[in-house]
C-alpha cells in the first residue's frame, strides 16, 4: 500500500511503516529554506523551543497526511522508519518529533536524515534528543548545507552524526552523487550504518 504526499511518500510493509521526504524542488520550498527565523512548533509540547520557520511551514503543509498515515497504522508492534534528504531531512526531524511526542504507539522509531540543515534551537535539539527515537544524521563533510542556518543564529543539530567525506569533483550535497554511494558502499560491505562514521573518517585522513 502506498500513499503519496507532495513532499514524499508513505508506505506500509509487514510491521514496518515508512515515511520518506524528498529534497527541495519548488520555488516556494526554496523560499522556505531561507526563512531562517524561528517559531514554536505546533506539535512538540515545548514552549519557546524554536524551529526553523520555513521548514515548519513546509511540514505543516503535509502534516495531516503524514500524521494521519502514522495514526491509522501505528501499533505497539510497529517499527516506524522516517528518512529524507536536504529539506526532506529537516522534515524527517520534524515528523520524528511529531510522532514521538504525539502519543502514537510504536515499537521503534528511527530517523535517517541525509544532508540535513539545522532545524531548531539548542533547546529544541535537546528536547528532540530526549525523545524515544534513534536518529542518524548522515553528513558529508564537504556539504555546506549541513552547516546552515549557522549556529551563530542559535541553531543546533540534533541526532547522532554519521560523517563521511565524498571524493573531490562530486557534487557534495547531491543525493545520488555523494550520499547514496556512501550508503551503498556500507551496505556492500554488510556494515551497519553506524560504522560508516569510522570507515569514512579513516578515508578522510588519507585524503591529501
Amino acid at each position: 500500500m502506498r500513499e503519496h504526499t507532495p513532499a514524499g511518500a508513505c508506505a506500509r510493509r509487514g510491521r514496518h511503516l515508512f515515511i520518506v521526504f524528498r529534497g527541495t524542488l519548488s520555488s516556494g520550498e526554496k523560499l522556505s529554506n531561507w526563512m531562517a527565523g524561528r517559531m514554536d512548533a505546533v506539535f512538540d509540547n515545548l514552549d519557546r523551543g524554536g524551529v526553523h520557520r520555513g521548514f515548519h511551514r513546509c511540514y505543516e503543509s503535509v502534516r495531516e497526511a503524514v500524521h494521519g498515515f502514522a495514526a491509522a497504522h501505528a501499533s505497539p508492534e510497529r517499527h516506524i522508519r522516517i528518512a529524507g534528504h536536504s529539506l526532506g531531512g529537516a522534515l524527517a526531524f520534524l515528523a520524528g518529533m511529531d510522532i514521538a511526542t504525539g502519543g502514537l504507539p510504536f515499537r521503534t522509531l528511527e530517523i535517517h536524515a541525509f544532508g540535513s540543515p539545522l532545524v531548531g534551537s539548542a533547546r529544541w535539539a535537546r528536547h528532540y534528543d530526549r525523545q524515544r527515537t534513534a536518529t542518524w544524521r548522515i553528513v558529508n563533510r564537504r556539504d555546506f548545507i549541513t552547516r546552515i542556518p549557522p549556529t551563530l543564529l542559535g541553531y543546533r543539530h540534533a541526532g547522532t552524526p554519521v560523517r563521511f567525506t565524498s571524493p573531490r569533483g562530486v557534487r557534495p550535497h547531491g543525493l545520488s552523487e555523494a550520499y547514496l554511494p556512501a550508503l551503498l558502499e556500507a551496505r556492500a560491505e554488510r556494515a551497519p550504518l553506524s560504522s560508516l562514521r569510522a570507515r569514512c573518517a579513516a578515508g578522510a585522513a588519507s585524503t591529501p
Side-chain angles (χ1 to χ4, degrees), residues 6-206:
C10 302
R12 173 169 53 91
R13 183 177 182 183
R15 294 185 178 182
H16 289 79
L17 303 180
F18 300 95
I19 301 170
V20 181
F21 297 99
R22 60 165 171 77
T24 303
L25 287 181
S26 71
S27 57
E29 290 168 348
K30 292 177 182 178
L31 177 62
S32 294
N33 289 346
W34 294 102
M35 296 173 62
R38 293 196 301 273
M39 61 178 291
D40 284 348
V42 298
F43 51 79
D44 60 11
N45 303 322
L46 181 67
D47 292 331
R48 302 183 306 280
V51 296
H52 187 285
R53 185 177 300 274
F55 301 155
H56 185 275
R57 187 177 77 168
C58 286
Y59 181 64
E60 278 191 305
S61 71
V62 298
R63 184 183 181 230
E64 182 177 356
V66 170
H67 204 271
F69 170 81
H73 302 293
S75 78
E77 299 303 315
R78 295 282 193 194
H79 303 274
I80 302 176
R81 304 289 183 262
I82 306 174
H85 169 252
S86 190
L87 169 62
L91 298 183
F93 272 105
L94 295 176
M97 177 74 95
D98 193 8
I99 292 172
T101 60
L104 296 179
F106 56 84
R107 186 168 184 177
T108 61
L109 174 59
E110 289 188 9
I111 292 87
H112 297 86
F114 297 82
S116 174
L118 289 82
V119 177
S121 67
R123 187 165 186 262
W124 189 87
R126 288 193 298 270
H127 184 58
Y128 180 97
D129 287 336
R130 287 194 291 266
Q131 306 307 316
R132 189 165 67 91
T133 72
T135 299
W136 303 99
R137 181 169 51 82
I138 298 87
V139 180
N140 181 3
R141 291 185 179 89
R142 300 188 192 276
D143 186 356
F144 174 72
I145 298 299
T146 63
R147 298 190 290 276
I148 58 174
T151 56
L152 287 175
L153 296 181
Y155 282 86
R156 294 293 185 275
H157 271 303
T160 301
V162 180
R163 297 185 175 91
F164 72 98
T165 304
S166 63
R168 287 190 171 92
V170 169
R171 191 163 66 96
H173 189 58
L175 179 62
S176 60
E177 298 94 328
Y179 284 90
L180 287 184
L183 184 62
L184 291 173
E185 181 183 352
R187 181 181 179 183
E189 296 177 4
R190 296 183 179 275
L193 183 62
S194 57
S195 74
L196 188 61
R197 180 193 309 174
R199 294 190 309 98
C200 292
S206 64

